[in-house]
Amino acid sequence: MDPDDDSTTDFTKNELLVFKTSFARPKYANTYRMEPYRKCESHVVRKRAEDILKQKLQDFKYIGINGAPTCSVISEDILAGVKDLGFDRYKYIVQVFLVEKTGQSIHIASRWVWDVARDTWVEAQYETENYVMVVLVVASYFE
């Protein structure tokens, strides 16, 4: 080994410990807070979801192939819109169902582990003569 070669470096135990602790996660104190500062208001979430549906679907014509990308875009837009409302400590799940009207009926069911005091859900729909889009937004409190 050439003594002038700087390609390898010897670290001492203390240097390695300092290097490793510089990547450590910061530790936060527990807040012991069991309630959100601003509770999720279902009527506000429903209004935001219905506004997004009206805006995005006013010129939409249903063809079987364009249903999945449209559902994905609307789901992402509604999720971003609900997060912008600023309800703290909530996790959101957005499900979008697009159904063509051909004389059939549809039943949508969901199951959740639920905290009645803090969790909530909202259903919004947009209906035309050719299709129905149903959006389910679940707001689950995250302690």
Side-chain angles (χ1 to χ4, degrees):
M1 291 255 337
D2 184 16
D4 296 328
D5 186 17
D6 290 332
S7 63
T8 59
T9 306
D10 293 331
F11 287 109
T12 64
K13 194 172 195 179
N14 289 337
E15 289 173 332
L16 281 175
L17 191 60
V18 168
F19 183 71
K20 188 175 181 182
T21 57
S22 67
F23 291 112
R25 288 181 154 183
K27 298 197 182 220
Y28 298 105
N30 291 331
T31 61
Y32 300 106
R33 186 166 48 103
M34 297 299 290
E35 295 291 327
Y37 289 127
R38 185 168 175 226
K39 193 172 180 180
C40 185
E41 300 169 354
S42 59
H43 65 281
V44 176
V45 175
R46 180 178 292 114
K47 176 79 169 115
R48 176 66 59 97
E50 288 173 350
D51 290 345
I52 291 171
L53 283 175
K54 286 177 188 173
Q55 175 191 2
K56 294 288 182 181
L57 296 176
Q58 62 186 356
D59 297 327
F60 177 72
K61 302 294 182 205
Y62 179 73
I63 304 169
I65 199 164
N66 67 351
T70 303
C71 288
S72 296
V73 168
I74 289 177
S75 175
E76 291 168 359
D77 290 346
I78 290 176
L79 181 61
V82 171
K83 283 184 176 181
D84 288 343
L85 294 174
F87 302 117
D88 64 318
R89 293 187 170 214
Y90 278 93
K91 299 284 183 178
Y92 302 101
I93 299 168
V94 179
Q95 292 180 327
V96 178
F97 303 96
L98 179 61
V99 181
E100 184 179 15
K101 286 186 176 178
T102 56
Q104 80 281 13
S105 66
I106 183 170
H107 297 278
I108 299 172
S110 298
R111 299 180 106 186
W112 306 97
V113 177
W114 204 253
D115 180 4
V116 177
R118 296 177 192 95
D119 297 343
T120 188
W121 66 276
V122 171
E123 179 262 334
Q125 73 177 33
Y126 184 83
E127 187 170 354
T128 66
E129 62 275 354
N130 297 327
Y131 64 90
V132 176
M133 183 168 280
V134 179
V135 175
L136 177 68
V137 180
V138 176
S140 178
Y141 183 70
F142 184 71
E143 296 177 348

